[in-house]
Amino acid sequence: MEFANKEYLFLLLLIIPYILWYVMYRKKTEPTIRMADTFAFRYAPRSWRVMLMPLQLVLRLIAFTLLVLVLARPQTQNSWKNQTVEGIDIMLSMDVSTSMLAEDLKDNRRDIKNRLDAAKAVAAEFVAGRPNDNIGLTIFAGESFTQCPMTTDHSSLLSLLQNVRTDIAARGLIEDGTAIGMGLANAVSRLKDSKAKSKVVILLTDGSNNRGDISPMTAAEIAKSLGIRVYTIGVGTNGTAPYPYPLPGGGIEYIQVPVEIDTNTLSSISATTDGKFYRATNAKELHDIYQEIDKLEKSKLNVKQFSRRYEAYQPFALGAVLALLLEILLRITIFRRIP
């Protein structure tokens, strides 16, 4: 924490003469009663009011100190920092079509209910394990859009990743379906201006391309021309998978739906871009992708970090007001004097 007006802190030196005046001279100005002999009061116990009398002084000093801190304007640190780190540029392209609700990758121990939960959990682990990489996120169903552009602010990226839902297609916000070509093209467009030597797209889907204006192979050719390596992941078990189907009167019925992943197209995309195709039926195969990416050549990134300045006087001002009000309340009630 820093102070914008540090010169006001010198006012704290006034506490020393005030304490000296209170101890040495204040008692002499207070009204007294002359008594012939105080022997009868020699062993009389001190009342709790007398023992708490210094509390008024303490509250005044606290209020004064906090007011001085308010005048000094406490603030959080504000700085730009340039830092050179090693990393690669990565775009995650994730399928969010309604078929991602199939529960063939369910894992109760990790609170994973469906394919999308599994994809998000492993992606979050991947992002957290690569703090120096420039990572972004695009999502697609029948259409595609960027959920988070490439950034080294992984806290924001993880927050946006956790907000990914399949209901954007179910509610009609975007067209449902699987536009693999559009999802890949969107991710490639985010990497086309990258200066990194290693540029990677990790494309995850559980179906076959059935929507979009750009074919998957066209997007793959564009990625190849830009030197972008594409890793494709086909998510889902073999055969059929349980899918939650909402009933008209409420409740859910599970039906078995076929798992139809266009492995040929996904393999062709990876082969065209010198990447690799993975058939992910469990978490281990997903982790194999990240081990492969760790072997990529890393390039230097110049990262500029910014910390925003915030005024932090509010707690000090509140504390000063409360201390002052408490001191006044005690003075007119418990410690009230006559005259």
Side-chain angles (χ1 to χ4, degrees):
M1 181 176 292
E2 295 182 351
F3 294 93
N5 302 325
K6 295 183 178 66
E7 60 275 9
Y8 283 99
L9 295 177
F10 287 107
L11 293 175
L12 294 176
L13 297 175
L14 295 177
I15 293 177
I16 298 175
Y18 177 74
I19 293 176
L20 292 176
W21 171 80
Y22 184 88
V23 174
M24 300 176 63
Y25 299 103
R26 177 179 172 81
K27 290 186 177 180
K28 295 181 180 181
T29 62
E30 295 180 352
T32 57
I33 299 176
R34 290 182 176 273
M35 301 187 67
D37 193 355
T38 60
F39 181 80
F41 303 98
R42 185 175 181 180
Y43 299 104
R46 298 176 65 189
S47 68
W48 62 271
R49 285 188 177 86
V50 174
M51 290 189 291
L52 291 179
M53 287 289 287
L55 181 60
Q56 297 179 90
L57 173 64
V58 174
L59 290 173
R60 290 192 205 112
L61 294 179
I62 291 175
F64 178 76
T65 301
L66 294 177
L67 286 174
V68 170
L69 294 178
V70 171
L71 292 175
R73 289 185 62 194
Q75 297 175 333
T76 56
Q77 186 179 5
N78 177 27
S79 63
W80 289 94
K81 182 173 68 173
N82 290 315
Q83 180 183 11
T84 300
V85 297
E86 298 288 332
I88 60 177
D89 286 357
I90 303 171
M91 282 299 299
L92 305 176
S93 184
M94 188 175 297
D95 189 346
V96 295
S97 59
T98 54
S99 59
M100 290 290 286
L101 292 175
E103 298 184 3
D104 48 352
L105 298 184
K106 188 174 183 179
D107 187 348
N108 292 326
R109 293 173 301 176
R110 302 177 62 190
D111 195 26
I112 294 175
K113 299 178 180 179
N114 49 51
R115 295 172 182 172
L116 183 62
D117 286 344
K120 286 164 50 176
V122 178
E125 292 176 5
F126 170 69
V127 172
R130 303 186 66 86
N132 295 330
D133 288 332
N134 227 0
I135 305 177
L137 173 66
T138 62
I139 60 178
F140 66 92
E143 305 170 62
S144 175
F145 64 89
T146 301
Q147 179 79 352
C148 179
M150 283 192 302
T151 179
T152 55
D153 183 4
H154 291 175
S155 296
S156 298
L157 173 59
L158 289 173
S159 177
L160 291 170
L161 174 62
Q162 292 305 316
N163 289 331
V164 172
R165 300 286 185 272
T166 58
D167 61 359
I168 58 175
R171 291 186 297 166
L173 298 179
I174 64 173
E175 184 182 358
D176 197 12
T178 306
I180 296 176
M182 296 293 290
L184 178 57
N186 192 357
V188 168
S189 69
R190 292 291 176 175
L191 288 167
K192 64 183 179 64
D193 297 324
S194 170
K195 303 300 181 182
K197 293 181 181 179
S198 296
K199 295 173 284 187
V200 172
V201 173
I202 303 176
L203 187 146
L204 184 146
T205 182
D206 68 341
S208 303
N209 188 75
N210 53 26
R211 292 288 188 278
D213 299 327
I214 301 176
S215 70
M217 293 312 301
T218 299
E221 291 294 339
I222 297 173
K224 180 182 178 180
S225 67
L226 296 173
I228 299 172
R229 189 178 307 172
V230 182
Y231 290 88
T232 56
I233 312 169
V235 178
T237 57
N238 297 314
T240 60
Y243 181 84
Y245 185 79
L247 298 175
I252 294 176
E253 178 186 4
Y254 285 90
I255 59 176
Q256 293 294 323
V257 297
V259 178
E260 299 176 349
I261 301 175
D262 190 352
T263 56
N264 292 331
T265 298
L266 295 178
S267 297
S268 298
I269 292 173
S270 297
T272 300
T273 60
D274 295 326
K276 190 173 182 180
F277 167 65
Y278 292 86
R279 184 69 174 86
T281 59
N282 54 58
K284 182 180 180 303
E285 292 175 347
L286 290 176
H287 284 290
D288 289 343
I289 301 171
Y290 310 137
Q291 294 176 0
E292 184 78 19
I293 294 174
D294 283 334
K295 299 176 183 178
L296 293 174
E297 178 184 0
K298 295 184 178 181
S299 59
K300 291 186 177 181
L301 297 174
N302 189 29
V303 180
K304 181 171 286 189
Q305 297 177 338
F306 175 67
S307 298
R308 187 177 178 181
R309 176 178 293 177
Y310 295 93
E311 297 288 344
Y313 69 90
Q314 294 90 343
F316 299 101
L318 180 61
V321 172
L322 292 177
L324 190 59
L325 290 177
L326 182 58
E327 193 275 333
I328 294 174
L329 180 63
L330 292 175
R331 180 156 30 99
I332 63 176
T333 55
I334 297 175
F335 301 123
R336 184 178 181 182
R337 298 181 181 184
I338 301 175

